[in-house]
């Protein structure tokens, strides 16, 4: 379940988007969840200790967000910024194969360490860990904070 801070920030963003006749609300369908589970299996993560519950909880109503330079990757195969496409590109670099990437903005990547299930904000140019978090929601809340005017 989304925490109050994230809900408030998403509502603020939605209010801004409504002024321009747009919305960040996008539901996830059953096929999207199946595709995500299949991707996790193919990549070898289905039997790991990785927990995607908070990410999945968010995707129920916000399956991919593009706001003010922040992208939260969706689990829809047809989306331009899907978790599948973005991770395949980023994993071409050996150092980045130790993370699963959930999103990015102009200066940061938002990811989880495959080894220790710690969430990180990485500096985009260098890949250096800038901040670490114990949960996806804590990391995502910080990402939202950075893009709300």
């Amino acid at each position: 379940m989304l925490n109050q801070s994230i809900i408030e920030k998403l509502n603020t963003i939605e209010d801004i988007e409504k002024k321009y006749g747009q919305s960040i609300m996008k539901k996830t369908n059953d096929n999207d969840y199946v595709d995500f589970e299949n991707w996790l299996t193919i990549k070898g993560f289905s039997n790991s200790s990785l927990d995607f519950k908070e990410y999945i909880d968010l995707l129920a109503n916000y399956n991919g967000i593009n706001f003010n330079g922040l992208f939260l990757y969706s689990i829809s195969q047809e989306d331009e910024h899907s978790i599948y496409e973005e991770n395949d590109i980023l994993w071409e670099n050996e150092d980045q194969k130790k993370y699963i990437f959930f999103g990015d903005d102009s200066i940061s990547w938002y990811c989880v360490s495959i080894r220790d299930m710690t969430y990180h904000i990485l500096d985009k140019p260098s890949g250096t860990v800038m901040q670490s978090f114990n949960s996806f929601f804590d990391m995502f809340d910080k990402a939202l904070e950075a893009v709300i005017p």
Side-chain angles (χ1 to χ4, degrees), residues 26 28 37 48 72 75 78 89 110 140:
K26 183 179 174 192
T28 306
E37 288 295 325
S48 73
L72 171 73
I75 59 170
E78 66 276 354
I89 292 167
Y110 302 93
F140 185 62

Side-chain angles (χ1 to χ4, degrees), residues 66-129:
N66 176 359
F67 177 78
N68 207 15
L70 173 67
F71 290 95
L72 171 73
Y73 306 146
S74 78
I75 59 170
S76 294
Q77 291 280 355
E78 66 276 354
D79 284 351
E80 181 180 356
H81 294 281
S82 71
I83 194 168
Y84 321 111
E85 180 181 326
E86 298 296 334
N87 276 277
D88 282 347
I89 292 167
L90 292 167
W91 287 338
E92 290 177 2
N93 176 322
E94 283 300 314
D95 287 339
Q96 294 170 338
K97 287 184 178 179
K98 57 187 168 190
Y99 302 107
I100 295 175
F101 295 87
F102 296 106
D104 70 89
D105 60 28
S106 60
I107 61 170
S108 304
W109 284 304
Y110 302 93
C111 59
V112 64
S113 169
I114 293 168
R115 286 182 286 177
D116 65 8
M117 198 57 193
T118 303
Y119 295 85
H120 301 289
I121 298 175
L122 303 180
D123 175 63
K124 237 181 190 178
S126 68
T128 303
V129 174

Side-chain angles (χ1 to χ4, degrees), residues 4-142:
Q4 191 60 35
S5 178
I6 290 175
I7 291 170
E8 289 171 7
K9 288 175 177 79
L10 290 170
N11 286 339
T12 298
I13 292 170
E14 183 65 16
D15 289 344
I16 292 167
E17 289 293 300
K18 281 182 183 177
K19 291 178 186 176
Y20 301 100
Q22 298 184 18
S23 174
I24 60 168
M25 303 269 309
K26 183 179 174 192
K27 300 266 186 200
T28 306
N29 65 48
D30 290 341
N31 290 334
D32 294 334
Y33 292 117
V34 170
D35 290 344
F36 185 62
E37 288 295 325
N38 288 338
W39 182 75
L40 290 174
T41 300
I42 290 167
K43 297 300 183 184
F45 301 125
S46 61
N47 293 325
S48 73
S49 63
L50 293 171
D51 180 8
F52 298 96
K53 182 177 179 354
E54 291 180 337
Y55 176 60
I56 294 296
D57 285 350
L58 179 66
L59 294 176
N61 291 309
Y62 301 95
N63 187 12
I65 294 174
N66 176 359
F67 177 78
N68 207 15
L70 173 67
F71 290 95
L72 171 73
Y73 306 146
S74 78
I75 59 170
S76 294
Q77 291 280 355
E78 66 276 354
D79 284 351
E80 181 180 356
H81 294 281
S82 71
I83 194 168
Y84 321 111
E85 180 181 326
E86 298 296 334
N87 276 277
D88 282 347
I89 292 167
L90 292 167
W91 287 338
E92 290 177 2
N93 176 322
E94 283 300 314
D95 287 339
Q96 294 170 338
K97 287 184 178 179
K98 57 187 168 190
Y99 302 107
I100 295 175
F101 295 87
F102 296 106
D104 70 89
D105 60 28
S106 60
I107 61 170
S108 304
W109 284 304
Y110 302 93
C111 59
V112 64
S113 169
I114 293 168
R115 286 182 286 177
D116 65 8
M117 198 57 193
T118 303
Y119 295 85
H120 301 289
I121 298 175
L122 303 180
D123 175 63
K124 237 181 190 178
S126 68
T128 303
V129 174
M130 304 304 288
Q131 288 184 280
S132 297
F133 304 89
N134 291 324
S135 76
F136 172 83
F137 284 159
D138 290 343
M139 177 187 66
F140 185 62
D141 191 40
K142 190 72 169 176

